[in-house]
Structures are given as C-alpha cells and as structure tokens.
Amino acid sequence: MEGSSRRSWDRTVLEPFAEIDLAEIAGLSSATLLSIRSVSLFSDSHQTLVLIGTGGGKLLLLSLDSSSKSIELLRSVSISNLPIESIEILTEIDRILVLSDGFLFLVDRLLLQAARKLGFIKDVTAVVKRLGFGDFLNLDFSGDGLLKADVSSAGQRLLQKLGSGIRANGLKQLRASESHRDKESNCLIAVAALKRLVLVELTVSATIDVDIDYGGILVRLKEMQGVEGVKTMAWIGDSVIVGSLDGYMLFSASSGKCTPIFSLPESSGPPKLLPLLRSKEVLLLVDNVGVIVNDVGQPVGGSLVFQYVPDSIVEMSSHVIVARDSKMELYRRKTGTSIQSLNFTKSGSGPCVVASDEQRSGETVVVATSHKAIFLHKVSTEEQIKDLLRKNNFKEAISLLEEVESEGEITEEMLSFIHAQLGFLLLFDLHFEEAVIHFLLSKTMQPSEVFPFIMRDPNRWSHLVPRNRYWGLHPPPVPLEDVVDDGLMAIQRGMFLRKAGVDTSADEDFLSNLPSKAELLESGIKNIIRYLCVSRNKDLIPSVREGVDTLLMYLYRALNHVDDMEQLASSENSCVVEELESLLGDSGHLRTLAFLYASKGISSKALSIWHILARNYSTGLWKDTSISVEHDLPDVSIDSISGQKAAAIEASKLLEESADEDLVLEHLGWIAEIDQDLAVLILTSDKRVNQLPPEEVLKAIDPKKVEIQQRFLQWLIEDQDSEDIRFHTLYALSLAKSAIEAIESTSGNVDSKADHEKKVSDVDSGPGNSIREKLQVFLQVSDLYDPEEVLDLIGRSELWLEKAILCKKMGQETLVLEILALKLEDCEAAEQYCAEIGRDDAYMRLLDLYLDPEDGKAPMLDAAVRLLHNHGEFLDPLQVLEKLSPEMPLQLASNTILRMLRARVHHSHQGQIVHNISKAMNLDAQLARIEERSRYVQISDESICDSCHARLGTKLFAMYPDDSIVCYKCYRRLGESVSARGRDFQQDPVFKQGWLVTR
C-alpha cells in the first residue's frame, strides 16, 4: 500500500441519480453560464441542503429530497462579484461562513437574510472550522496573546471566558454575566490572512439584549504569528494544521507554538489536506500522494497513492474520493485500493469539485464540473455485495464483507444472511470447503437448509426447510450429486467458450485442473459432514436434531466411514431408526444398526444382531492382527475368535443393564459358549435395578457350564447374602463334584497305590487346587447347607478332610477323630479337635485309636507318645496303663508315664494352692467388710447432706465407700451404686489398703 497505487475491481459504491445544469435550475437562459467554484452540503432528518458557490459570487441553496431524489432551487444570494472560494457550514450557531474576495461573510442557513461581512479581517486565504470530536477546549481571549488552554470535562462549557471586558479588534466591548453562558452556542474557526493566523470564537446567545454587529453574532478573536501563503487548513482538537506553498506546519491553539511537519518540493503543486473524521487524522497531499498524520503531526499508517493530482478531495464513510477533469475515483481508506472510477461529460474549463455530508449521514456526494453538478448516493453494502455475487466475484465479495464487518457498518443479522448467501453460491460453484466456512459463520442459518442437498424431496424433513429467504442468486437446492453434475457441465461449457476465445467467469483452478465427479462428491460430503457435526452442538428443535443426526449417518454411509457411523450410533443421538434400518441392514452395517438399536432402547433387536454376528462372522468387520501375531494362528480363525468375542462383549453390555428375565436368559447361552466370564458378569451385574430370579437363572444355565453355576451361586451367597438352604447345599454339592472330578482325572493313570496317594496329595496342595480350597472354606464357614447330602456325595471319594468337616458339622466326634488320626494322620489337627471338644474322654478315645487302629493297621506308637506328652494331664494314668500294649517298649512307656504322673501331681498341687489362696482372699474380704460396717462416724449439728445440703441433725443418714454422707431421703433417691459425688461403684469400684491378701 505504501508508495504504490493498487487497482482492485470495479465496484459500484456510488451511483449517480441526478444531474443539473446550474444556469438552467437558476432559471437563466441557456446562453448564460454559471461556473461552480465550491460546494458544501448538510442533511437533516427530512432533506439534504446543497450550497453551491459560483465564480460570480453567487451562493445558491438547493434542496434534495432523499426519497424522490428531486432537486429544487430554494433561493440564492449574492455575496460579492468574485468567486466564492470556500463554504463552511457552522451548525453550532446555525450559520454559513463564506470566503470570497479575501473576506469572510456570515449568512443564515436558509439564506433568508442578507450576508454580513466580517470586517475585522481581510486578505483571507483560508478558513476552517474546529473539529472537536466531543472534547472541550478552553481558550483565553482576554489578552493580546493566548494565555491558557485546557481540556475540560464533559459537563463544562465549550469555552471559558475570563475578564470583564473582551476586546475584538475595534469592536464594541460587551459584558455578559456568567449565568447566561449556558444558553450560548459557540463555534471556533481558524482564519489565515497574509502572515496572520487568527482564532475566532463566534457566539450566539439568546440572553444578550445588546445590539451586536453581524446579526446577533458575538465575535471574539485572538491573533498569533502565522505563515505566508496559506492555502488550506484543518483544526483538530488543539492542533491547527496549515498547508502553504512551502509545506505543512502544525500550530498549537493553546500555546501558539509552530512545528514543521514536512516541506514540499519546489516542483510540487499547491497543498491540499483533508480531515479524516472517523480516525481523527489528517490526510496531507503531496501531488498525487496522500500522507496520513495524527493530531500532533506524526505520520500513521500508510500512504494513499492516487492516479492523478486531484483538484478536490473528500471523505465518505471509510472511503476517500478524489476528483479532477470531470473524473472521480474512490479509494478504500484502510487499504488504499481504488475500487470505483467514474467519468463525467466535461463542459467548460475549471476545477472539479467534490463534496459529501460526512458529518451527518455520509450517504450523498456531489461532484461539480464547471457548469454542472452530479449527485450520487452511496449504494448500500448489501447491494454492493449482491452486485459482486451476481458477477461471481466471490473473493471480492468476501473481502468487502470482512471490511464492513471490521468497521461495524453492517448489522449482525444482515452479516449472517450474507454469509449464508455466500455459502450457497460457493456450494453451487463446487467450492464446498469455503461454502461450509460461510455456513458456520452465519448465526441465523438453520441446519435444515442443507437437508435438500442430502436427501431428495419429499422426505420426512421437507417441511422444515425455509423457503425464499435469499436474493435468488442461486438455483433451488438439489441433491449434492445433481449439484456436482450441473457444476461439471458448467465448467466444461466454460472450457469450450475459453477455447473459442470467449471470456468466461468460470473458475481458473477448475479450468486448469478439472477434478473428477467422485472427488467432488467426496469433498462435498465431507464438508457437509463437517457442518452437520458442528450443528449438533447447537440448540436445535427436536425435529431438526433428528434430521441432522439421521442425515449425518447417511453421509457417513456414503463414504463408508464405519468408525464414525458406529461412534454416532453408540453415542447419544437423535437418529430416526425407521429411516436407517433398511439402509444399514441392506448395506451390511449390522454393527452400526445394533449400536443404533441399543442407543434407542431397542435391546431385543440389538441382541439379535449381535447373535447373528457371532454365528455368521465376517472377517472384514472384526479383523484384529494383534491376536494372530500373539498366538501364531491363522488369520481367519483368530479373526473369528476376536469377532465373536467382540459381539459377546457388546451384547453383555446390554444384558448387564437389562431386567428383562426372558431376554437375558434367551441370550445367555450363546454368550456363555464364547466367554463364560461375560456370562457371569451378566448374571451378577449390579447395574440392573431388579435382579433376576435365581431359580430361573439356575434352570437356564447349561449343566455343562459348571463354573458359571458355581460363580453365580457364590455371588448369591457372598454378595447377596442369600440364606436359602437350597442355594448353599447346591453350591456345596457343585464344588464337591468338581473336586471329585479333579481327583479322578489326576489319579486316572496311576500304577500303584503309592502313586495314587502321591497324586491325591499333589491335588490337595497344588497351586491350581482352588476348587478344593473353596469347598473346604465353604463347608467350614456355612451352616446353611445339608451336610448329610454332601457327605453322601463324597462318601466314596478321597476327600477325607471334607468328610471330617461334614462329620464335625453333624456332631460325629468319633468319625472326625478317626479321619484326622487314621486317614489323614494329622496328629496336630486331631489334638486340636479334642481341645475343641473340651472333655478328657476325647483324648482317651484318640489314644485308643492310636493304640488300636482298625483294618489291620499297626499301632501308631509315636502318635500315642506325642499325645501322652502333650496332653497327659488330661488322661487317667490307670486307664492309660490298661490301654498300653504289652508290645510297647518298656523304656519308651516308662518315660512317658513318668512325665504324665509328674504332670498330674503338679496339676493337683496347683489346684490346692489356688483353692487355699481363694479361701484366704475370701476371709480377708469378709474382715474388711466387717471393718467398714463397724466404722465410727460422728455427726454434729453442723453436718449437712452432700446431696441436698440439708442439716442432718437427728435424721437417718447413709455413708458411701467414698466417704460421702447423705440423708436417708437422698439415699433412697440415689441408690447404693452411685454416691452423692457422682461416682458409680459398679463402673469405678473403691479399693482400700488391706482389702487384698498380700501375704
């Protein structure tokens, strides 16, 4: 942009609507010529007023009706005999300031009164009104120099007048009270005359009743040293920027300080400048280059390069307009891009003047040649964009839309509307990605508007599609395939025209590299999928949400995106099942259909599909290479296994939450065939509110699936705390059968009895013997099973420990001792069982078993000696001697009997000692009690009850072991256990010295 001009496209921003001949509208003869030298215009709520200054010193007022676009000459007034060089509209004081013949003239806005010359200044070369932009500047006009200036708050007056008298270069002095200031209207102007720069305040006051010159306008001025040859000026805030033949300078209105901005080359043309109201900046012209500076004279941004040196320059909205030789060009302010050029019929010689009402609406522009005035109005942004779209200038339309959006020149509703319109045009032009970008930028576009591109009408959602909402720049929506066909046909037509030498608006990218129909269809579907995915997160009505999800599934199916289909179907969605059943079923996407059924709560159909997939497996849907590598098995078989497992897993997820007994039991069998763990998980799931009836479940379980039955029973007993005897007994019998089968399978191929016993021992102690461990623990812990039924089952087996547990439950002590001592030869366990019985005869029976085992087994002398050694004190020596076998070695027997007798004597002596100690403690306690009862207690007249604090006197009283004394009434109330001091003798007894036997 800097240092170079850029030409963009021809866009219609300004459109001529009227043209007038100045002499004709003034009612003069056609031979009379009125040359136009200056133009200014302003608008109110009803009309636009145009002021035209002629070369003969006439000022014409024209009225422009904005609705009918009619122009009418209201009146004219002669200012002087020389050209009117500039016209300033002072809206603050409702006056017009005219520069002609080196003098300033004031006229009222409607030219109803004669013009009044401001005679205090002459030889004026430039005049400009201050642009304050809402800030307030206080200037002191009381002395010869500017004494002070400051920006006041918004609640203060525009100007602060100081001093009792105000000098105005020979004008009469006037005193106005401060109470009248609020009713005054003020305007500040800067005037350049010869080498002077004069700041003037023009004031209109309704309270001033003194005759004032210049038609009721009070003039106050202040001079400051200026420069010679000033041609143009701008006053923004505190800065007065002037342009002379030598260059541009900045004067401070508050201090009078002059600061050069830059000098002009000797060969350059006269200076021109333009205040930019929107940005509070000034455009300084050096020939055909415009340099932008801020209010302190510092360059900002870039420069604007025009095609020629303009005669006149004006700002309109975000544009800059230049004119010369009956030609006008419009540039974009921010980019410096030329976007429109207009040529007018040249009539006569002289400068070309352009003016706009930028301080008001900024919608009207006047371009004046020598004798004619052309009126133009700003075309609305919507119309500009519409015109570009008609020409298929999509990039230019988008650029314009971005510009007006950044500057806030368009409403949010219209912005959304245009984005949607752009999206449809780009879609029909086969630019699908860009189309969706604009769809997403539109906040008012409904997802239902793209439904006709996916499904042909009529369909379930046809009534949801809005009709006739846009500008009619694109054809009606049709399925995407038809859009692609029509677009390809248009491209081929454009290629043919291009070859024939005919210019065409077809896309250059498509002409140079024509994509295939399949590629375009895929691109279109992918981008519409992207739009629908984003739309799912919006707040949509239920019917539209159903259409979005259902048609999204259609599009996934068209691209065969299986993962996306399954993810959509398995997540929370609003798909219409009836619309998708045949589509997914006929195309073989049964997994997706099963997920969809499940998400809609149609579990029975979903489970049926999973059952079908588990039986009739398709390798294309379940391939899992990791399993085949791990197990080094053929791909097909491993795929089949993994596929069946996946089907069973998905089915189990549904059955875990289902409380439908029939449905669960219907599908339990095939899931159990694939994975028993999943079957158990279904039966024991805590996700369902009401659990399945155990009796029906047990009936439905295949008798061959023993593990499932056992784990279900275990869950009933342990997790559900079932106390049903049937379930406890069934669980014990099932575990017992499994244990017997394990032993039989282990001992099936043994060569001898020793080998058999070794195998059984291995089964008992092996790491995989979880069944026997479970059985043993359950038989010991549970008291709710039928031990006789279990014992009948294992009666002929080798489960001796289990038999011992059952006999113990049944109270058959002798059988338990026989199993522990003779079958298992577990002396420690046998002795422990005798201790549990707690009777001496149990040890005697165990000794009998050791000394006289049955079945021809030799006496277990070592076990007998161990029993005598450990528990001999519980045995009668005489009975032991009678039981001892004559064949027992004398030395072994004598030592054992000797220790037994010594232990028995020691036990007898210990009993005597304990008896005598207890007797002595009892006697001592009786003596202590007698001593306590015989204690002497003295009660005087001053003694009081420790509870009610009443004097005891001759009353009955009681004394507690902690020495507290209470009256008899309180004693009856407190009782014997708790004293008046709150001590509970049952919880905290009292012990005194001498109460315990210490000898």
Side-chain angles (χ1 to χ4, degrees):
M1 173 176 146
E2 286 190 335
S4 64
S5 65
R6 298 194 300 172
R7 183 71 178 171
S8 181
W9 60 91
D10 285 331
R11 172 159 44 102
T12 305
V13 179
L14 290 175
E15 188 175 55
F17 67 88
E19 179 179 333
I20 63 170
D21 185 283
L22 202 58
E24 181 181 348
I25 198 170
L28 302 176
S29 64
S30 59
T32 306
L33 295 178
L34 293 178
S35 62
I36 300 175
R37 299 298 298 272
S38 57
V39 180
S40 184
L41 70 160
F42 59 94
S43 301
D44 55 24
S45 58
H46 303 291
Q47 60 184 354
T48 299
L49 299 178
V50 183
L51 291 165
I52 298 179
T54 67
K58 284 186 176 293
L59 182 63
L60 282 71
L61 178 64
L62 284 74
S63 173
L64 171 63
D65 192 323
S66 57
S67 59
S68 63
K69 307 300 182 184
S70 61
I71 301 172
E72 178 185 0
L73 176 64
L74 296 180
R75 59 189 57 86
S76 65
V77 63
S78 293
I79 302 297
S80 68
N81 294 325
L82 296 177
I84 295 179
E85 298 177 15
S86 70
I87 303 171
E88 286 286 339
I89 299 173
L90 310 179
T91 55
E92 294 84 354
I93 61 174
D94 200 26
R95 295 293 190 276
I96 296 171
L97 185 67
V98 179
L99 171 60
S100 178
D101 192 19
F103 287 96
L104 296 177
F105 298 87
L106 275 177
V107 295
D108 63 287
R109 187 174 64 171
L110 298 179
L111 307 185
L112 297 175
Q113 301 175 2
R116 294 177 179 268
K117 181 191 291 186
L118 300 181
F120 62 87
I121 191 167
K122 62 181 179 178
D123 298 325
V124 178
T125 58
V127 63
V128 70
K129 184 180 72 170
R130 177 181 181 266
L131 303 175
F133 300 108
D135 59 337
F136 297 92
L137 184 66
N138 287 342
L139 295 178
D140 185 1
F141 289 90
S142 61
D144 293 336
L146 293 174
L147 301 180
K148 67 176 182 177
D150 60 76
V151 177
S152 65
S153 64
Q156 294 177 335
R157 282 180 34 78
L158 174 66
L159 299 170
Q160 182 73 28
K161 288 95 181 166
L162 300 174
S164 59
I166 300 176
R167 185 174 58 83
N169 280 14
L171 299 179
K172 71 170 63 177
Q173 296 183 2
L174 174 70
R175 174 184 298 272
S177 68
E178 293 298 327
S179 62
H180 297 156
R181 301 303 187 204
D182 293 338
K183 299 182 180 180
E184 296 177 356
S185 299
N186 309 81
C187 178
L188 289 177
I189 61 173
V191 182
L194 296 179
K195 291 186 178 182
R196 293 186 300 163
L197 183 62
V198 182
L199 305 182
V200 182
E201 178 193 30
L202 304 176
T203 305
V204 176
S205 177
T207 62
I208 297 178
D209 54 0
V210 181
D211 184 24
I212 303 176
D213 291 341
Y214 314 121
I217 301 296
L218 174 65
V219 179
R220 308 177 186 190
L221 57 90
K222 197 63 190 176
E223 295 183 8
M224 55 194 300
Q225 191 64 33
V227 294
E228 188 175 6
V230 175
K231 299 297 182 182
T232 182
M233 289 193 302
W235 188 357
I236 296 180
D238 182 53
S239 302
V240 181
I241 299 176
V242 301
S244 68
L245 296 176
D246 296 328
Y248 294 97
M249 286 159 287
L250 183 145
F251 287 86
S252 172
S254 58
S255 65
K257 181 180 179 181
C258 176
T259 305
I261 299 177
F262 60 80
S263 300
L264 290 175
E266 294 181 359
S267 60
S268 64
K272 288 184 176 62
L273 56 78
L274 171 68
L276 302 175
L277 303 183
R278 285 173 172 261
S279 56
K280 302 180 183 180
E281 297 166 346
V282 181
L283 178 67
L284 308 180
L285 206 63
V286 183
D287 290 334
N288 67 323
V289 178
V291 179
I292 301 175
V293 298
N294 57 17
D295 58 350
V296 294
Q298 296 296 324
V300 293
S303 59
L304 300 177
V305 181
F306 307 117
Q307 298 294 323
Y308 45 78
V309 179
D311 289 337
S312 180
I313 181 170
V314 73
E315 181 185 20
M316 187 203 72
S317 184
S318 57
H319 304 88
V320 172
I321 304 173
V322 295
R324 180 185 177 92
D325 296 334
S326 301
K327 181 189 296 184
M328 185 200 79
E329 286 198 353
L330 185 140
Y331 292 81
R332 192 71 184 174
R333 159 71 181 84
K334 285 190 175 181
T335 62
T337 306
S338 174
I339 57 179
Q340 187 179 11
S341 178
L342 292 173
N343 290 314
F344 307 103
T345 303
K346 187 173 183 180
S347 58
S349 61
C352 186
V353 182
V354 61
S356 72
D357 183 23
E358 180 58 25
Q359 294 191 30
R360 290 295 184 116
S361 62
E363 298 293 326
T364 305
V365 174
V366 178
V367 179
T369 60
S370 296
H371 308 297
K372 290 187 177 182
I374 298 94
F375 294 84
L376 306 95
H377 67 86
K378 182 181 177 183
V379 178
S380 66
T381 302
E382 294 83 357
E383 290 297 327
Q384 295 180 46
I385 295 175
K386 186 189 296 186
D387 183 60
L388 292 172
L389 295 180
R390 287 195 189 98
K391 301 173 183 177
N392 286 342
N393 290 333
F394 299 127
K395 293 181 180 179
E396 293 83 349
I398 293 170
S399 177
L400 174 59
L401 188 62
E402 291 173 350
E403 290 177 2
V404 296
E405 180 183 2
S406 64
E407 296 177 3
E409 297 181 0
I410 190 170
T411 63
E412 188 73 27
E413 183 178 359
M414 179 54 66
L415 182 66
S416 296
F417 174 88
I418 296 175
H419 275 303
Q421 176 70 85
L422 266 167
F424 282 112
L425 287 172
L426 288 166
L427 189 144
F428 279 101
D429 208 44
L430 306 185
H431 293 83
F432 302 114
E433 184 175 357
E434 294 86 347
V436 169
I437 290 175
H438 287 282
F439 285 158
L440 295 176
L441 289 174
S442 175
K443 296 182 180 179
T444 58
M445 179 175 171
Q446 295 298 318
S448 57
E449 296 183 49
V450 302
F451 290 176
F453 295 102
I454 306 171
M455 180 177 285
R456 295 185 181 276
D457 286 333
N459 57 61
R460 181 188 291 264
W461 300 281
S462 296
H463 67 284
L464 298 175
V465 182
R467 305 294 182 184
N468 301 323
R469 287 186 51 197
Y470 299 104
W471 290 329
L473 301 180
H474 61 79
V478 292
L480 194 59
E481 187 173 359
D482 295 344
V483 173
V484 173
D485 289 337
D486 295 341
L488 287 174
M489 188 178 300
I491 294 172
Q492 291 170 356
R493 189 183 307 112
M495 295 174 65
F496 175 78
L497 293 174
R498 181 66 61 87
K499 291 178 181 179
V502 179
D503 191 17
T504 177
S505 60
D507 192 285
E508 293 292 338
D509 294 336
F510 284 156
L511 292 177
S512 59
N513 184 18
L514 183 62
S516 66
K517 178 180 178 180
E519 292 173 342
L520 288 172
L521 271 176
E522 182 178 0
S523 174
I525 293 174
K526 284 183 177 179
N527 283 284
I528 294 181
I529 286 174
R530 183 162 62 93
Y531 174 71
L532 293 179
C533 286
V534 176
S535 300
R536 295 189 74 218
N537 299 323
K538 297 180 179 179
D539 186 15
L540 306 175
I541 61 175
S543 56
V544 174
R545 187 171 295 279
E546 289 178 357
V548 169
D549 286 358
T550 305
L551 296 180
L552 189 58
M553 186 69 76
Y554 267 93
L555 297 179
Y556 284 146
R557 166 63 190 88
L559 297 181
N560 200 30
H561 286 186
V562 177
D563 292 339
D564 293 327
M565 294 168 63
E566 293 182 359
Q567 183 177 2
L568 175 61
S570 59
S571 62
E572 183 179 353
N573 63 81
S574 300
C575 294
V576 179
V577 179
E578 296 81 0
E579 292 284 339
L580 297 174
E581 281 181 313
S582 59
L583 174 73
L584 299 176
D586 296 343
S587 61
H589 292 86
L590 296 181
R591 275 175 56 90
T592 302
L593 185 56
F595 284 128
L596 185 59
Y597 280 139
S599 67
K600 299 303 178 183
I602 313 176
S603 301
S604 58
K605 290 187 177 182
L607 290 168
S608 299
I609 293 178
W610 292 124
H611 191 189
I612 293 172
L613 290 174
R615 288 184 305 178
N616 306 320
Y617 164 70
S618 173
T619 58
L621 298 178
W622 309 91
K623 192 168 185 179
D624 189 350
T625 56
S626 60
I627 300 181
S628 62
V629 171
E630 179 183 354
H631 297 278
D632 195 21
L633 294 174
D635 288 342
V636 175
S637 61
I638 292 302
D639 285 342
S640 179
I641 293 173
S642 62
Q644 293 176 355
K645 180 67 173 293
I649 291 174
E650 296 300 336
S652 67
K653 292 178 182 178
L654 298 176
L655 294 176
E656 284 179 37
E657 300 178 358
S658 176
D660 188 338
E661 171 191 344
D662 297 334
L663 190 63
V664 174
L665 299 182
E666 177 186 354
H667 294 276
L668 180 66
W670 67 268
I671 296 177
E673 292 293 336
I674 297 173
D675 193 318
Q676 296 190 27
D677 291 336
L678 293 176
V680 174
L681 191 62
I682 293 170
L683 297 177
T684 62
S685 173
D686 56 358
K687 296 180 180 179
R688 62 174 62 95
V689 179
N690 299 320
Q691 295 299 333
L692 304 174
E695 297 85 356
E696 301 300 326
V697 172
L698 292 173
K699 291 179 183 178
I701 296 177
D702 188 350
K704 298 179 181 179
K705 307 298 180 183
V706 177
E707 182 181 356
I708 298 177
Q709 183 192 58
Q710 292 176 357
R711 292 173 62 180
F712 177 69
L713 289 170
Q714 181 182 5
W715 173 77
L716 284 176
I717 295 170
E718 296 180 1
D719 293 355
Q720 301 299 306
D721 299 326
S722 174
E723 296 182 356
D724 194 319
I725 296 177
R726 296 172 300 166
F727 300 149
H728 283 254
T729 304
L730 185 59
Y731 184 50
L733 292 173
S734 181
L735 290 176
K737 290 178 182 178
S738 298
I740 294 172
E741 292 174 357
I743 292 177
E744 291 177 350
S745 62
T746 304
S747 59
N749 298 319
V750 294
D751 299 331
S752 63
K753 183 177 180 181
D755 292 336
H756 172 71
E757 293 176 354
K758 183 177 182 302
K759 291 292 184 179
V760 173
S761 176
D762 292 340
V763 171
D764 291 345
S765 61
N769 189 30
S770 59
I771 294 296
R772 288 204 65 182
E773 292 177 359
K774 287 183 179 180
L775 176 60
Q776 293 168 5
V777 170
F778 180 72
L779 293 179
Q780 291 176 342
V781 172
S782 176
D783 295 325
L784 299 176
Y785 61 88
D786 186 352
E788 294 184 2
E789 190 173 350
V790 179
L791 187 60
D792 290 341
L793 177 64
I794 66 173
R796 298 184 180 181
S797 68
E798 300 294 330
L799 302 177
W800 293 110
L801 180 57
E802 290 78 355
K803 294 178 183 179
I805 296 172
L806 293 170
C807 292
K808 181 178 178 182
K809 291 284 185 179
M810 298 168 63
Q812 299 177 359
E813 299 174 356
T814 302
L815 291 177
V816 175
L817 289 175
E818 288 181 357
I819 294 172
L820 295 176
L822 303 181
K823 297 296 182 181
L824 299 177
E825 297 183 358
D826 189 347
C827 299
E828 184 177 356
E831 294 172 5
Q832 177 64 31
Y833 182 62
C834 291
E836 293 177 7
I837 295 175
R839 302 193 308 272
D840 294 347
D841 64 313
Y843 291 102
M844 200 67 216
R845 274 186 286 172
L846 181 58
L847 181 62
D848 288 341
L849 294 174
Y850 285 151
L851 297 179
D852 187 17
E854 298 177 355
D855 299 331
K857 191 173 182 180
M860 301 171 65
L861 300 180
D862 293 338
V865 172
R866 170 191 168 91
L867 177 63
L868 294 173
H869 177 73
N870 293 335
H871 306 284
E873 67 273 15
F874 299 107
L875 299 173
D876 188 348
L878 296 178
Q879 293 182 5
V880 171
L881 291 175
E882 292 177 355
K883 295 291 183 181
L884 289 178
S885 173
E887 299 177 357
M888 187 176 185
L890 181 60
Q891 183 177 2
L892 180 62
S894 61
N895 292 334
T896 300
I897 294 174
L898 180 61
R899 285 197 300 273
M900 182 181 67
L901 292 174
R902 288 175 179 174
R904 193 169 185 85
V905 171
H906 176 69
H907 181 70
S908 175
H909 289 169
Q910 281 184 331
Q912 291 178 358
I913 293 172
V914 170
H915 174 73
N916 292 332
I917 291 175
S918 299
K919 187 175 180 181
M921 292 179 65
N922 184 39
L923 180 60
D924 197 31
Q926 290 179 0
L927 291 174
R929 185 175 182 182
I930 293 173
E931 291 177 0
E932 285 296 313
R933 287 183 174 276
S934 61
R935 273 199 302 163
Y936 177 74
V937 179
Q938 184 177 0
I939 300 298
S940 66
D941 292 340
E942 300 298 327
S943 298
I944 61 176
C945 175
D946 288 339
S947 177
C948 65
H949 304 292
R951 294 183 180 276
L952 294 178
T954 59
K955 297 179 181 178
L956 292 177
F957 65 90
M959 184 175 183
Y960 288 98
D962 62 350
D963 298 332
S964 60
I965 300 174
V966 295
C967 63
Y968 187 73
K969 181 179 180 181
C970 292
Y971 171 73
R972 292 288 302 272
R973 177 174 56 83
L974 295 173
E976 298 181 356
S977 301
V978 182
S979 70
R981 297 174 183 175
R983 184 165 185 169
D984 189 345
F985 300 111
Q986 292 183 351
Q987 303 293 333
D988 186 18
V990 175
F991 292 94
K992 292 188 177 181
Q993 192 81 16
W995 280 16
L996 300 178
V997 178
T998 57
R999 54 184 178 277

